[in-house]
Amino acid sequence: MKRDPYANNLQVRPDGTLRHFLSIEGLDQALLTRVLDTAESFDAASQKNVRKLPLLRGKTVLNLFFEPSTRTRTTFDLAARRLSADVVNLDINASSAVKGESLLDTLRTLEAMRSDLFVIRHPQAGAAEFFARHVPEGVAVLNAGDGRHAHPTQAMLDLFTIRRHRPDLENLVVVIVGDVAHSRVARSQIQVLNLFGVRQVRVVGPATLIPSGVEQMGVHLYSSLDDAMVDADVVIGLRLQKERMRGPLLTSSEEYYQRYGITAKRLTLARPECLVMHPGPMNRGIEIDSEVADGPQSTVLEQVRNGLAVRMAIMALTMGAGPGLATESGQ
Ligand code: NCD
């Protein structure tokens, strides 16, 4: 696999614990398994109606979104509150390209607010890593999506969802369909699925939306979704990232749906229990049929719910509060 230019050892402390969460690359399976297991314990606590844990009491979390988001922002916000942190949400209009210098200025201003944890979403690849390089010791940075580079918490909640249904990851064939070229989600998913030894990751989509040399990421490239669906255990639809497309890369939505839409008919080509996933937001009738999106094999809403537990886990671990400390606060 090609080296990720934004991944480095910033993410892990010398004692092997998680410091920042910027990309899947640079993290190992043991550490990421700890994230999943911690998330399981948080999810179990919320099943038992434990609404709040005191792990981040006295800490301030700053949600910094330079791009729109519903699910990701809300679940990060809720995750921080469930851990008893104080949360500040900042939506920043990034319509004018933000350059390194001004990002640093923003960071310094925000630092003056003495936050302990920054959650950042930004249209520029490498923005979260840039923050991580400049924050003081003890402050953590979590990447909530940077350009088309990475969206590691989404990949972790997807893996968490898959593992829940199919712990036999080594047997699974996973199909990723759609706009891989512009998808930070796909990039992080491919990395994590390969790291966890999934049997085969297949990628399929219009040639204009598949990055050249995608096979070097450890995937099998298909040109037909029907072919890719054969024996699939999981199919993941991606959103067409129109805001990142330069020029007409798509002929028409109708043609896209005909060739790459996840339909009930296509699902019959896969294994009987094949999971249907999508990070959202979905374009119904283009990327996926409503019948499938709302059907029994869909995990779309479960993914959102799991995002809460996974983000709580990542926040707690970067703040040095592991599952052993996950005691109930009685609130
Ligand atoms: C993804 C994102 O923003 O990268 N969505 C999400 O996090 N829920 C995927 C997308 O926007 O297509």
Side-chain angles (χ1 to χ4, degrees), residues 68-313:
S69 167
T70 311
R71 290 148 246 262
T72 306
R73 221 232 9 216
T74 319
T75 48
F76 264 118
D77 182 352
L78 205 54
R81 291 176 203 276
R82 290 269 165 97
L83 294 169
S84 311
D86 296 321
V87 188
V88 180
N89 287 303
L90 282 180
D91 290 318
I92 296 168
N93 185 354
S95 54
S96 58
V98 180
K99 300 251 170 64
E101 276 305 289
S102 54
L103 200 56
L104 191 57
D105 278 343
T106 312
L107 172 63
R108 294 287 176 245
T109 311
L110 297 169
E111 248 172 38
M113 299 180 196
R114 305 192 73 83
S115 298
D116 300 284
L117 211 152
F118 287 102
V119 176
I120 173 166
R121 166 168 289 195
H122 198 282
Q124 200 171 297
E129 191 233 2
F130 178 85
F131 261 51
R133 271 195 277 117
H134 290 93
V135 292
E137 187 63 42
V139 174
V141 178
L142 312 187
N143 184 5
D146 61 330
R148 48 166 109 169
H149 169 240
H151 193 352
T153 63
Q154 178 71 45
M156 289 304 289
L157 74 89
D158 293 334
L159 180 67
F160 180 90
T161 307
I162 296 172
R163 191 180 80 153
R164 273 253 168 115
H165 290 267
R166 294 293 304 270
D168 59 329
L169 294 171
E170 65 289 352
N171 295 327
L172 303 187
V173 170
V174 180
V175 177
I176 300 176
V177 54
D179 182 2
V180 179
H182 301 97
S183 178
R184 52 195 175 205
V185 173
R187 242 167 282 274
S188 291
Q189 283 169 339
I190 292 167
Q191 289 173 348
V192 90
L193 292 169
N194 280 326
L195 186 64
F196 277 75
V198 159
R199 181 154 75 96
Q200 197 174 86
V201 181
R202 298 175 181 170
V203 156
V204 57
T208 48
L209 297 179
I210 299 290
S212 61
V214 73
E215 290 98 334
Q216 287 163 28
M217 296 183 75
V219 298
H220 294 251
L221 180 60
Y222 282 70
S223 53
S224 145
L225 179 55
D226 289 343
D227 292 346
M229 288 298 283
V230 174
D231 288 336
D233 300 284
V234 179
V235 56
I236 305 175
L238 300 173
R239 184 175 64 84
L240 291 163
Q241 308 264 314
K242 293 212 167 116
E243 72 277 22
R244 289 185 227 286
M245 293 181 195
R246 292 206 182 87
L249 296 177
L250 264 185
T251 43
S252 73
S253 301
E254 291 75 25
E255 191 185 333
Y256 183 88
Y257 173 72
Q258 290 304 327
R259 298 189 59 188
Y260 304 105
I262 305 174
T263 61
K265 188 159 168 258
R266 288 211 162 100
L267 205 50
T268 62
L269 301 168
R271 291 207 184 269
E273 311 269 281
C274 178
L275 303 177
V276 178
M277 307 180 71
H278 195 297
M282 295 182 278
N283 287 307
R284 290 169 182 259
I286 301 174
E287 295 148 7
I288 189 165
D289 246 4
S290 274
E291 190 188 350
V292 178
D294 304 327
Q297 286 163 257
S298 167
T299 63
V300 171
L301 293 178
E302 205 182 313
Q303 285 167 265
V304 178
R305 206 197 75 191
N306 292 340
L308 179 61
V310 167
R311 289 177 174 126
M312 282 172 78

